[in-house]
Amino acid sequence: MFQLNHVHFSVPERVLLHDIHVQFSPQKVYGLIGHNGSGKSTLLKMLVRQHRPTSGEILLDNKALDEYSSRDYAKQLAYLPQHLPAAASLTAEELVKMGRYAWTGLTGRETAEDRAACKRAFELTHTEKFRHKFVDNLSGGERSRVWLAMCLAQQSRFLLLDEPLAALDIAHQLEVMELVKSLSRQLNLGVIIVIHDINLAARYCDELLALHGGRVLKSGTPDEIMTTEVLRDIYSVNMSIMRHPISGDVMAIP
């Protein structure tokens, strides 16, 4: 499990994260919510070692992140940034195979295990039909699923997603969130996702972590977070709370 113990992160003249003390476990989907600039993406970047804590510690399985080599850490954690890089004329199959770097190294010598991992990743994301298509020619939803397949081929224990729904229409947003929750259960994955749609977060996440001004304002189940008082503290907007008439999921209406 991930443990963040009293983590602070600052840049010159500004503190971005204050005294973060949380933990993340496998087989759960965690939604990071809050307004823009609240520290959600910064928190993810600390977990993927793009930022180092100014103070405090981050542990994975009671081991400091710096104690992992790059390849060993990639076996523990896969990361999908908010802005996906251009795939530079790569087919989906070529991209997904890149997810095996942590296992094959620079030699790239492919084994039966690598082929099986890629095949399984395509099956789990229902992207087999795109194997020989160029990634950059796919639609937004198709491209998101292929990048997810690359992360799954990595066979890590945690999957970090920074606003994966930002460029998708509602149908593809639902498709990706259904897939993420299903994968968490099937593969015992811990998923940490930055998400702005509070109702999608409440529907698909097991726990929500609300950030405000770089601090953890509140954490808990969707039922604990989705109250008029808590949402007002997070977003400074009054919202009514109701249950979906069919699913029973808690919903917020501004």
Side-chain angles (χ1 to χ4, degrees), residues 104-145:
T104 61
L106 292 175
T107 63
R109 187 171 299 168
E110 189 178 68
T111 66
E113 184 178 355
D114 296 320
R115 289 189 290 273
C118 292
K119 182 175 184 293
R120 178 69 169 149
F122 277 118
E123 291 171 349
L124 287 167
T125 54
H126 311 294
T127 52
E128 301 97 323
K129 61 185 176 183
F130 306 132
R131 293 181 77 118
H132 304 298
K133 293 188 177 182
F134 290 112
V135 176
D136 286 347
N137 290 341
L138 300 176
S139 71
E142 294 165 349
R143 191 162 55 249
S144 293
R145 283 191 287 140

Side-chain angles (χ1 to χ4, degrees), residues 7 26 37 45 91 122 124 126 129 136 154 158 165 169 180 196 221 228 244:
V7 168
K45 289 176 181 178
T91 65
F122 277 118
L124 287 167
H126 311 294
K129 61 185 176 183
D136 286 347
Q154 200 169 318
F158 284 89
L165 310 181
D169 60 41
V180 164
H196 279 291
T221 66
T228 299
H244 190 282

Side-chain angles (χ1 to χ4, degrees), residues 31-101:
L32 302 186
I33 62 173
H35 59 77
N36 290 336
S38 60
K40 303 183 299 298
S41 294
T42 300
L43 179 55
L44 279 197
K45 289 176 181 178
M46 296 193 74
L47 294 178
V48 299
R49 305 198 303 189
Q50 291 186 13
H51 297 324
R52 295 171 61 92
T54 305
S55 62
E57 62 178 1
I58 304 177
L59 306 175
L60 176 59
D61 296 336
N62 294 314
K63 183 177 175 180
L65 301 193
D66 286 346
E67 295 181 34
Y68 289 88
S69 69
S70 295
R71 284 183 62 187
D72 285 342
Y73 198 58
K75 294 177 182 178
Q76 306 297 323
L77 179 146
Y79 171 58
L80 207 57
Q82 179 180 354
H83 302 292
L84 297 176
S89 300
L90 292 175
T91 65
E93 186 167 40
E94 290 168 334
L95 179 66
V96 170
K97 284 182 179 180
M98 291 175 66
R100 296 300 297 166
Y101 165 75

Side-chain angles (χ1 to χ4, degrees), residues 13 17 76 86 185 190 195-196 203:
E13 300 182 358
L17 292 175
Q76 306 297 323
R185 301 300 190 260
I195 183 169
H196 279 291
R203 179 174 178 179

Side-chain angles (χ1 to χ4, degrees), residues 186-252:
Q186 289 183 59
L187 304 179
N188 199 32
L189 270 177
V191 180
I192 308 171
I193 179 171
V194 173
I195 183 169
H196 279 291
D197 189 314
I198 186 65
N199 289 320
L200 285 179
R203 179 174 178 179
Y204 290 105
C205 297
D206 300 298
E207 294 190 24
L208 301 178
L209 187 72
L211 295 173
H212 189 278
R215 301 180 186 272
V216 176
L217 184 65
K218 179 83 172 179
S219 63
T221 66
D223 279 349
E224 292 170 329
I225 299 297
M226 297 285 282
T227 70
T228 299
E229 295 76 20
V230 172
L231 293 179
R232 185 191 301 120
D233 288 343
I234 298 170
Y235 297 107
S236 301
V237 174
N238 289 321
M239 300 193 191
S240 299
I241 307 301
M242 63 174 289
R243 293 281 176 180
H244 190 282
I246 298 175
S247 68
D249 295 321
V250 64
M251 300 175 58

Side-chain angles (χ1 to χ4, degrees), residues 153-178:
Q154 200 169 318
Q155 292 185 312
S156 58
R157 293 190 299 135
F158 284 89
L159 175 61
L160 275 58
L161 307 172
D162 193 353
E163 295 192 48
L165 310 181
L168 304 182
D169 60 41
I170 184 62
H172 287 117
Q173 289 180 12
L174 292 170
E175 181 181 321
V176 168
M177 291 305 295
E178 289 277 4

